[in-house]
Amino acid sequence: MPLFRPVLSLFYLLPIIFLPSFCSAADPYASYEFRVSYITASPLGVPQKVIAVNGNFPGPPINVTTNYNVAVNVWNDLDENLLMTWSGIQMRRNSWHDGVLGTNCPIPPKWNWTYQFQVKDQIGSFFYFPSINFQKASGGFGPFVINNRDIIPIPFAQPEGDIFIMIGDWFTRDHAALRADLSAGKELGIPDGVLINGKGPYQYNATLVPAGIQYETIRVHPGKTYRLRVHNVGISTSLNFRIQSHNMLLAETEGHYTVMQNYTDFDIHVGQSYSFLVTMDQNASTDYYVVASARFVNESLWQKVTGVAILQYSNSKGPATGPLPDPPNDFYDKERSMNQARSVRQNVSASGARPNPQGSFHYGQINVTQTYLLKSEPLVTINKTTRATFNGISFIPPKTPIRLADQHKVKGAYKLDFPDRPLNRTPRADISIIDAAYKGFIEVIFQNNDSIIHSVHLDGYSFFVVGMGYGDWSEDLRGSYNKWDAITRSTSQVYPGAWTAVLISLDNVGVWNLRAENLDRWYLGQETYLRIVNPEENGKTEMAAPSNVLYCGALQSLQKEQHHGNANSIFKGHSKLFITLLMALLNVAFLHS
Ligand SMILES: *[C@@H]1O[C@H](CO)[C@@H](O)[C@H](O)[C@H]1NC(C)=O
Ligand SMILES: *[C@@H]1O[C@H](CO)[C@@H](O)[C@H](O)[C@H]1NC(C)=O
Ligand SMILES: *[C@@H]1O[C@H](CO)[C@@H](O)[C@H](O)[C@H]1NC(C)=O
Ligand SMILES: *[C@@H]1O[C@H](CO)[C@@H](O)[C@H](O)[C@H]1NC(C)=O
Ligand SMILES: *[C@@H]1O[C@H](CO)[C@@H](O)[C@H](O)[C@H]1NC(C)=O
Ligand SMILES: *[C@@H]1O[C@H](CO)[C@@H](O)[C@H](O)[C@H]1NC(C)=O
Ligand SMILES: *[C@@H]1O[C@H](CO)[C@@H](O)[C@H](O)[C@H]1NC(C)=O
Ligand SMILES: *[C@@H]1O[C@H](CO)[C@@H](O)[C@H](O)[C@H]1NC(C)=O
Ligand SMILES: *[C@@H]1O[C@H](CO)[C@@H](O)[C@H](O)[C@H]1NC(C)=O
Ligand SMILES: *[C@@H]1O[C@H](CO)[C@@H](O)[C@H](O)[C@H]1NC(C)=O
């Protein structure tokens, strides 16, 4: 019996394997067709417009192995522009397919566009989501797994299987209504709930949860160990994740193996991904609750903002009953959550994507070439509109993507003047980015002066999270940095009134988005880009613009109209794909026989 897995249709479950034209021909190739469209769903009992991928919410998993060449042909069946981005996937030398407005022109409605990238030297748990127009608040996200190659051992026994768990805060208003509120300067308010895999809470309490809501059931076998890949795909709420009566053995975060430790509950901030190994070691006298509840909020006001799924053993003797497992009781204890974050450390003797220990890169001994202090403050008003800032600058996405503007010598597309520390001046809105030195080793300190927990995320890279603390950062705090086994990841929390310090080795040429992952803050301008260019442009450190590159802004006139296929030809496309797939499978079977 297979374990839990979203219902999938065959053509995207199995990647197609053939030789690509666009990159390393020696490595396998996996291709996916993603149709992004609206469906009506009622995750919290109220019918609403939801964004589905191939008719599914959440979308289907992308499941590939290190060094695969991946192609995802995205069809925009929405009524507005779309870009898909790949959270945590490093896009080596290839910011052309990163799917954010600074690097890509948006895909217009009724058009399709193929993302092509190699998942070079990466392993672990990631996800994809639509990056513009606040669409992530209506869905469009799904898991993205990169498996180890067979020659690389994983630092634990092979689990029985993978279980994907996508948790996130949710509103019954759709993304268009939410962004209208933000543009009008309104707060979004308390979310209407938390979804687990696109479903509302199990009715654990008839006062709090109405009857008739479809909830997620995770089916498992007693005695087995599963790898739970948990992602916070929500808008802005930090969630505490826990499973009744079960320990969660932390094993990996955003592509790096951790020192394995048991937790009874774990704080997962917006945009973060974790793997936990969970052994089904209970007696199945009942089913068990799986809970994701809002963190650091007034419980009496936020009671409904709790996701509840069911963990069901194959020998279960009955439904889960009684109260949910307790959340951490630390509303006034600022240290517990931060200490838990500090306890996430890299297993420096485990192999990463390559057959060498993860810790063989002695980051603690490298001299920092530049320091950036990025301060976020509470929302400000600029030109009568509500905006969010880093260092007093609220980012305006460029009309022409940055590297495309470089290549076509478009003047004034952006400014390279992002300040490396907060300046005491009036906040402004600008297309201001960071001119970061190729091969530099930089220190970035995020200082959160806002009143909410922030998640900060960098595309194209993993960073070493070397320290966090309350109060204002100062140079003498460098002495407290973890210079040995800091975790490497792409998304870190920054507690309100606190700082988080990260170190980044700038070895990936391109233009990379640095942002507040909190969707509202990001939407209101709390982002910038790192522009990393090899001064000796030799055609090796950065890929050329892809042949299907879209043009917009100052280069709009270069864009050819796209002739849209009708539904019929698309269907034909799928059957063709299906045949290719069968042939590929036969090939694989043949090669392995
Ligand atoms: C992902 O792919 C791996 C390797 O091909 C396979 O073993 C695994 O079962 C797949 N997982 C899912 C959830 O499809
Ligand atoms: C759109 O899809 C078609 C059919 O699969 C494909 O040939 C074409 O390359 C895609 N267009 C772009 C711009 O990627
Ligand atoms: C670290 O990885 C090694 C090598 O795979 C493994 O044997 C060890 O158990 C791991 N240690 C911890 C503390 O997780
Ligand atoms: C259900 O929740 C309400 C509101 O918090 C609470 O008063 C009540 O005791 C709960 N009922 C049960 C059976 O736990
Ligand atoms: C984690 O907890 C399980 C029981 O749920 C136990 O068997 C295991 O030894 C623990 N592992 C560690 C590293 O503490
Ligand atoms: C099953 O485990 C629960 C909780 O640990 C315990 O209260 C209960 O008595 C056990 N039931 C059986 C039949 O062993
Ligand atoms: C939580 O909200 C309730 C209801 O508005 C209020 O009475 C209570 O004082 C709040 N608690 C805290 C700790 O702010
Ligand atoms: C780092 O800087 C120190 C002092 O400037 C210097 O002595 C040392 O050699 C440098 N280390 C490396 C690895 O470059
Ligand atoms: C306000 O808007 C005007 C006109 O769009 C622009 O010229 C000006 O620079 C803006 N001011 C700020 C502070 O961004
Ligand atoms: C923000 O900065 C002000 C001025 O330094 C300080 O008074 C306030 O406590 C800070 N708030 C947070 C949440 O950091």
Side-chain angles (χ1 to χ4, degrees):
M1 249 308 279
L3 54 142
F4 153 81
R5 157 191 294 170
V7 183
L8 304 171
S9 59
L10 199 57
F11 73 84
Y12 54 72
L13 220 186
L14 300 163
I16 298 157
I17 296 162
F18 59 94
L19 293 182
S21 54
F22 67 92
C23 41
S24 179
D27 294 312
Y29 184 87
S31 113
Y32 293 80
E33 296 281 321
F34 272 16
R35 289 211 81 107
V36 182
S37 70
Y38 295 121
I39 57 169
T40 300
S42 311
L44 294 175
V46 183
Q48 63 181 120
K49 197 158 81 176
V50 163
I51 297 177
V53 179
N54 298 343
N56 292 288
F57 168 62
I62 289 182
N63 180 24
V64 294
T65 298
T66 305
N67 294 352
Y68 266 44
N69 297 300
V70 180
V72 188
N73 191 7
V74 173
W75 300 80
N76 180 5
D77 289 346
L78 306 179
D79 56 356
E80 55 187 31
N81 286 346
L82 168 71
L83 276 177
M84 198 59 96
T85 195
W86 320 96
S87 189
I89 307 289
Q90 286 182 11
M91 301 280 159
R92 302 297 303 177
R93 307 182 291 130
N94 182 6
S95 60
W96 301 105
H97 291 101
D98 198 36
V100 285
L101 280 175
T103 61
N104 290 77
C105 297
I107 308 167
K110 308 299 166 219
W111 286 38
N112 70 294
W113 197 71
T114 309
Y115 291 84
Q116 295 186 329
F117 49 91
Q118 188 175 19
V119 290
K120 190 78 185 151
D121 291 334
Q122 266 196 288
I123 39 142
S125 309
F126 312 96
F127 64 98
Y128 60 83
F129 69 93
S131 73
I132 58 172
N133 287 330
F134 221 71
Q135 286 158 0
K136 185 190 183 204
S138 289
F141 43 74
F144 195 135
V145 174
I146 309 179
N147 299 292
N148 286 51
R149 286 176 291 160
D150 286 342
I151 55 162
I152 317 282
I154 54 174
F156 42 84
Q158 187 66 43
E160 181 71 7
D162 279 0
I163 297 175
F164 301 122
I165 302 187
M166 315 218 87
I167 57 177
D169 55 358
W170 189 260
F171 289 88
T172 53
R173 272 135 62 219
D174 70 18
H175 64 289
L178 293 170
R179 71 179 186 233
D181 283 352
L182 286 177
S183 302
K186 290 187 205 153
E187 297 265 0
L188 298 181
I190 299 179
D192 298 304
V194 167
L195 304 191
I196 299 183
N197 288 343
K199 291 176 183 156
Y202 171 79
Q203 195 183 28
Y204 69 99
N205 176 319
T207 316
L208 293 171
V209 183
I213 287 188
Q214 213 195 344
Y215 57 90
E216 179 72 336
T217 302
I218 298 164
R219 296 191 171 84
V220 293
H221 294 296
K224 303 289 188 198
T225 298
Y226 296 84
R227 180 173 184 171
L228 272 61
R229 300 182 187 256
V230 190
H231 309 271
N232 184 334
V233 291
I235 299 165
S236 197
T237 306
S238 296
L239 296 172
N240 182 263
F241 182 76
R242 53 195 186 275
I243 306 173
Q244 189 175 29
S245 307
H246 288 76
N247 272 334
M248 309 191 298
L249 185 64
L250 178 65
E252 177 252 346
T253 177
E254 294 157 24
H256 290 86
Y257 294 117
T258 64
V259 168
M260 288 189 273
Q261 292 178 82
N262 275 322
Y263 296 86
T264 51
D265 68 89
F266 204 87
D267 289 342
I268 305 182
H269 304 274
V270 177
Q272 292 186 328
S273 302
Y274 287 97
S275 285
F276 300 102
L277 301 176
V278 180
T279 301
M280 303 306 152
D281 55 5
Q282 297 299 301
N283 62 21
S285 55
T286 63
D287 293 343
Y288 301 95
Y289 295 123
V290 176
V291 182
S293 61
R295 198 70 170 96
F296 293 115
V297 294
N298 183 332
E299 302 270 343
S300 68
L301 297 172
W302 284 66
Q303 238 172 356
K304 291 191 176 181
V305 192
T306 301
V308 185
I310 291 298
L311 179 72
Q312 185 171 72
Y313 284 33
S314 51
N315 62 341
S316 173
K317 292 173 201 70
T321 53
L324 300 179
D326 286 333
N329 179 18
D330 62 343
F331 191 79
Y332 298 103
D333 172 7
K334 298 198 295 183
E335 290 295 334
R336 183 195 192 260
S337 184
M338 196 182 275
N339 281 337
Q340 187 182 66
R342 290 188 186 112
S343 74
V344 179
R345 286 172 300 125
Q346 194 130 316
N347 180 342
V348 294
S349 61
S351 281
R354 282 197 243 173
N356 63 319
Q358 301 191 107
S360 63
F361 181 63
H362 296 294
Y363 70 93
Q365 290 158 29
I366 303 173
N367 289 334
V368 164
T369 55
Q370 189 159 8
T371 295
Y372 297 88
L373 179 59
L374 297 191
K375 187 173 184 181
S376 49
E377 283 174 331
L379 298 177
V380 292
T381 301
I382 301 175
N383 262 350
K384 302 203 177 70
T385 59
T386 302
R387 302 289 302 178
T389 55
F390 274 134
N391 287 356
I393 297 181
S394 188
F395 190 76
I396 308 172
K399 292 200 168 58
T400 316
I402 294 161
R403 283 306 272 160
L404 204 58
D406 288 349
Q407 288 202 339
H408 291 265
K409 303 197 164 44
V410 176
K411 292 238 156 47
Y414 61 87
K415 293 180 192 164
L416 274 178
D417 63 351
F418 199 93
D420 63 6
R421 55 203 62 244
L423 302 173
N424 202 3
R425 63 186 187 198
T426 318
R428 65 174 214 270
D430 215 338
I431 317 174
S432 176
I433 66 172
I434 294 175
D435 185 12
Y438 175 53
K439 293 207 169 157
F441 190 72
I442 64 170
E443 174 189 37
V444 183
I445 296 110
F446 298 96
Q447 181 79 51
N448 184 359
N449 191 246
D450 201 345
S451 54
I452 58 163
I453 301 177
H454 283 192
S455 279
V456 288
H457 174 90
L458 176 61
D459 282 359
Y461 285 93
S462 288
F463 46 58
F464 296 91
V465 184
V466 290
M468 45 180 86
Y470 284 100
D472 282 341
W473 179 85
S474 59
E475 293 193 5
D476 55 300
L477 288 163
R478 286 187 178 131
S480 70
Y481 285 1
N482 177 349
K483 294 209 157 187
W484 166 241
D485 60 358
I487 191 67
T488 326
R489 63 187 313 167
S490 58
T491 311
S492 180
Q493 68 268 50
V494 193
Y495 294 91
W499 54 272
T500 293
V502 306
L503 299 177
I504 317 169
S505 174
L506 300 182
D507 57 358
N508 192 15
V509 171
V511 172
W512 304 106
N513 190 214
L514 177 64
R515 62 178 179 256
E517 195 73 4
N518 310 64
L519 200 57
D520 50 342
R521 294 301 193 268
W522 182 13
Y523 187 75
L524 295 175
Q526 198 164 72
E527 63 168 331
T528 183
Y529 285 80
L530 264 62
R531 181 177 174 276
I532 297 147
V533 172
N534 182 353
E536 300 154 32
E537 293 200 31
N538 54 11
K540 288 191 186 137
T541 48
E542 185 179 22
M543 287 185 186
S547 58
N548 65 350
V549 72
L550 293 176
Y551 296 99
C552 54
L555 302 170
Q556 179 72 55
S557 62
L558 298 176
Q559 181 60 45
K560 295 195 187 74
E561 258 312 296
Q562 193 175 91
H563 297 288
H564 329 130
N566 57 30
N568 190 32
S569 70
I570 287 151
F571 186 74
K572 268 195 228 138
H574 282 171
S575 39
K576 198 169 91 198
L577 208 64
F578 186 63
I579 291 162
T580 323
L581 172 110
L582 284 179
M583 291 179 62
L585 284 176
L586 289 173
N587 256 327
V588 169
F590 176 75
L591 286 173
H592 287 233
S593 64

